[in-house]
Amino acid sequence: MTFSPELEARFEKLLRTYPPGRERGAMIPMLMYAQDEVGSVSQELIEEVARRVGVTPLQVQEVISYYSMLHPTPMGKYHVQICTNISCLLWDGDKLWEQACKKLGIGHKEVTPDGRISLEEVECIGACSWAPAIQVNYDFHHFVTPEQLDRLLDSLGKKQ
Amino acid sequence: MLYNEPSPLETRILSRRFGLPDSASIDTYLRTDGYKAFLKASGMTPEQIIEELKISNLRGRGGAGFPTGMKWSFVPRQSPKPKYIVVNADESEPGTCKDRVLMEYDPHQLIEGCLIAGLAVDAHKGWIYIRGEYRYLIEVMDKALAEAYEKGWLGKNIQGTGFDFDLYTHTGAGAYECGEESALLESLEGKRGVPRIRPPFPAVVGAFQCPTVLNNVETFCAVPPIILNGGKAFADLGVPKAGGTKLTCLTGHVNRPGVYELRLGFPVMQMIEEVGGGMRNGKKLKAFIPGGSSCPLLNAAECEGATMDYDSMAARKSMLGSGGVVVMDEDTCMVKAALRIMRFYAHESCGWCIPCREGTTWLRKILIRFHEGGGVRSDIDLMADISKNMLGRTFCPLGDAAALPTISIVEKFREEFEDHLNGKPCPFEHAGQMVMA
């Protein structure tokens, strides 16, 4: 499997970060950074990372099933994550979630037919004092109103 | 730009650089006493550094509140193994968003805290374990680390002191459980984040089976001011058994939610009324979580006279926790709140210990049924009973974290559960049906 030169450089640095013989430590960061570039944690990626950190593909498989951010299938180009945990709930985060599901006609961890937007109801994302909060890919949006969410989803549907 | 306006009632020690132009840059840091604490510490013995921390009464800011100086003193310096520093930046406790701003606005303060910890325990390598959702902070920290290497504050023979130290970022991938120290270490090693049995504690057998100092971001960030100004100055800011300030994340039904740095011992009602600008829409206070959803809730009466410190909260059978304050007004449905909290723990239970795995799932099912109007009277005692049977029966505190708030809600707001009985709809107009993803 080939990656961009930037990602290869990052991998090389990562593998030197952990104590000798403990390169397995790089596994989860490698999967996260690679997923950002190739879109999902595919079987091919699992085998590639296993080879690079010196474990079996099964050992990678058992790790990825534990972590909620590692996706075996691709999410949308814009992965919209809406927090409904307690602090966001108190500022109607649950209503934002319902609104997004209704507008897009998809549910939890589902992708629109054109592959542009996916939705996920997430647990606390660490934006509690600026609730309700959502994340689009890695970008935070704070104090989100229903009108802002509506405009955001419209713009993501058209954005190149 | 700051996410919220500061309050004049704050005591800004750890957050004193927040809002300065380019506050995250090494130039700003060096202009404002940055890395002076490291230079001072490099002229001290490890025992003196640890003694200063003990004098400061600094207690772990991740939630457990263990005395930091004592924790560092447990590291066997004479061990032939390498020693490591690990920063817990897996901030995931619901209600908590303070480590985010500490890293975003002042990353070098965290780096300096790690350097001083390295001096204290003879460690020369460390990792900052940052939750996966905080990707932009990996970029902020990586940039700060690169600046520190470039200007000779990391790497070999730092500023001619003869001390070597390397520090790296490490991303998590979405798992609350990895904020628990032993699960974090498993995750750092490239494994599922399941907890380890203790003893041995991480100070003796930690990262990669070596002695490790593992603390929360805020704990490390408190170290440079303690070394620079002396432990006593820090201790004097707080209360007798807990020194300093706490970054407090005020969330929920207040007019000015935000992250504020307050002295330990700050009165709860003054925090709500004056720092937070009072209850939203002039409503009455109903329930209060002092430090993240793992803490037992207080009712409004218990908040009177309470202060934000370990002992005051312990006297009310709760905990200071992580600083994630959740304020709930009179319109909040406590059954819905209990359900949302339990859904979280059921989702995040790693499944390693049966009382937690099965208990959280069972409680979630009962609460869903109850909230939808299908509860029966015996469910109320059953929920308390299941919760009590989870307490203390798991490798890590997640089981307790799920059980404790549930017990407190069932005991303190029992009448709301009774109102939901016999198919009666939720009595709170505001609290509609919850979508179950």
Side-chain angles (χ1 to χ4, degrees), chain A residues 39-67:
Chain A
S40 67
V41 181
S42 60
Q43 190 56 36
E44 193 188 6
L45 179 61
I46 289 170
E47 286 168 17
E48 182 69 25
V49 169
R51 191 178 62 74
R52 292 191 186 212
V53 301
V55 299
T56 64
L58 185 63
Q59 285 172 304
V60 178
Q61 191 81 54
E62 69 167 24
V63 167
I64 61 167
S65 64
Y66 177 89
Y67 294 95

Side-chain angles (χ1 to χ4, degrees), chain B residues 87-419:
Chain B
V87 180
N88 185 344
D90 191 57
E91 178 166 72
S92 322
E93 176 70 22
T96 317
C97 49
K98 67 189 172 65
D99 297 337
R100 226 182 110 183
V101 288
L102 282 167
M103 290 188 280
E104 182 169 348
Y105 300 136
D106 200 353
H108 286 283
Q109 181 168 244
L110 174 60
I111 297 172
E112 190 175 12
C114 294
L115 284 170
I116 296 167
L119 287 169
V121 302
D122 192 30
H124 302 279
K125 200 192 242 300
W127 293 269
I128 307 169
Y129 183 108
I130 302 178
R131 67 177 298 187
E133 292 84 349
Y134 286 0
R135 171 62 58 83
Y136 80 101
L137 289 174
I138 297 218
E139 287 158 23
V140 170
M141 286 309 312
D142 278 345
K143 186 172 170 227
L145 292 170
E147 284 178 328
Y149 273 105
E150 193 191 327
K151 303 233 164 156
W153 294 100
L154 279 172
K156 298 271 176 226
N157 187 19
I158 296 168
Q159 303 294 320
T161 59
F163 179 66
D164 303 339
F165 197 79
D166 287 307
L167 189 59
Y168 311 100
T169 55
H170 176 104
T171 179
Y176 168 75
E177 173 62 9
C178 291
E180 192 280 324
E181 61 176 13
S182 70
L184 184 149
L185 293 169
E186 286 290 295
S187 181
L188 181 67
E189 295 183 11
K191 301 172 197 162
R192 293 170 75 91
V194 294
R196 295 175 178 172
I197 196 160
R198 280 149 292 175
F201 289 93
V204 180
V205 181
F208 306 102
Q209 306 301 307
C210 294
T212 300
V213 163
L214 202 171
N215 283 115
N216 175 256
V217 170
E218 188 182 351
T219 313
F220 281 112
C221 288
V223 173
I226 289 170
I227 296 298
L228 204 55
N229 307 320
K232 185 169 182 307
F234 191 81
D236 288 347
L237 294 170
V239 290
K241 276 190 267 171
T245 57
K246 179 86 193 74
L247 266 79
T248 305
C249 320
L250 204 44
T251 82
H253 294 149
V254 290
N255 283 314
R256 288 197 299 270
V259 178
Y260 304 101
E261 184 171 3
L262 304 174
R263 286 171 178 237
L264 281 173
F266 201 91
V268 167
M269 292 314 293
Q270 190 187 5
M271 177 175 72
I272 294 173
E273 291 302 327
E274 297 176 28
V275 180
M279 297 296 295
R280 193 179 66 168
N281 302 330
K283 298 278 182 182
K284 285 202 197 87
L285 173 68
K286 181 193 269 185
F288 177 88
I289 304 179
S293 65
S294 305
C295 300
L297 282 77
L298 305 187
N299 59 30
E302 289 171 303
C303 290
E304 295 294 339
T307 53
M308 291 297 288
D309 60 82
Y310 303 93
D311 287 349
S312 177
M313 288 305 158
R316 287 162 178 78
K317 297 193 168 50
S318 188
M319 305 182 285
L320 185 65
S322 62
V325 169
V326 185
V327 177
M328 302 183 206
D329 72 17
E330 57 190 308
D331 290 346
T332 311
C333 170
M334 296 312 293
V335 178
K336 183 172 175 173
L339 165 57
R340 188 61 190 88
I341 290 171
M342 191 50 65
R343 273 183 63 203
F344 170 70
Y345 290 106
H347 181 262
E348 300 298 337
S349 173
C350 77
W352 190 246
C353 309
I354 295 164
C356 172
R357 182 184 70 208
E358 299 303 317
T360 54
T361 305
W362 192 2
L363 287 164
R364 179 178 58 94
K365 286 179 184 165
I366 296 172
L367 281 161
I368 290 173
R369 178 158 49 82
F370 214 101
H371 186 250
E372 287 173 346
V376 292
R377 189 160 298 275
S378 60
D379 282 340
I380 304 176
D381 290 327
L382 180 61
M383 284 188 278
D385 189 49
I386 296 167
S387 302
K388 285 173 186 163
N389 276 297
M390 289 159 64
L391 288 176
R393 295 202 167 92
T394 51
F395 276 52
C396 92
L398 198 148
D400 288 4
L404 288 167
T406 309
I407 294 169
S408 71
I409 295 176
V410 170
E411 282 177 357
K412 293 174 189 176
F413 301 96
R414 192 181 176 99
E415 71 284 1
E416 289 198 27
F417 286 86
E418 288 176 356
D419 287 345

Side-chain angles (χ1 to χ4, degrees), chain A residues 17-18 24 36 62 65-69 84 87 90-91 94 98 121 123-124 126 129-130 135 138 142, chain B residues 4 100 125 131 133 135 168 170 173-174 187 190-193 250-253 280 336 340 343 435 437:
Chain A
T17 299
Y18 304 90
R24 181 176 177 159
D36 289 344
E62 69 167 24
S65 64
Y66 177 89
Y67 294 95
S68 67
M69 293 180 73
T84 63
S87 296
L90 298 175
W91 284 86
D94 57 334
E98 286 172 46
E121 185 187 13
E123 296 299 350
C124 186
S129 287
W130 316 295
Q135 258 190 309
Y138 292 112
H142 298 136
Chain B
N4 57 268
R100 226 182 110 183
K125 200 192 242 300
R131 67 177 298 187
E133 292 84 349
R135 171 62 58 83
Y168 311 100
H170 176 104
S187 181
K191 301 172 197 162
R192 293 170 75 91
L250 204 44
T251 82
H253 294 149
R280 193 179 66 168
K336 183 172 175 173
R340 188 61 190 88
R343 273 183 63 203
V435 184

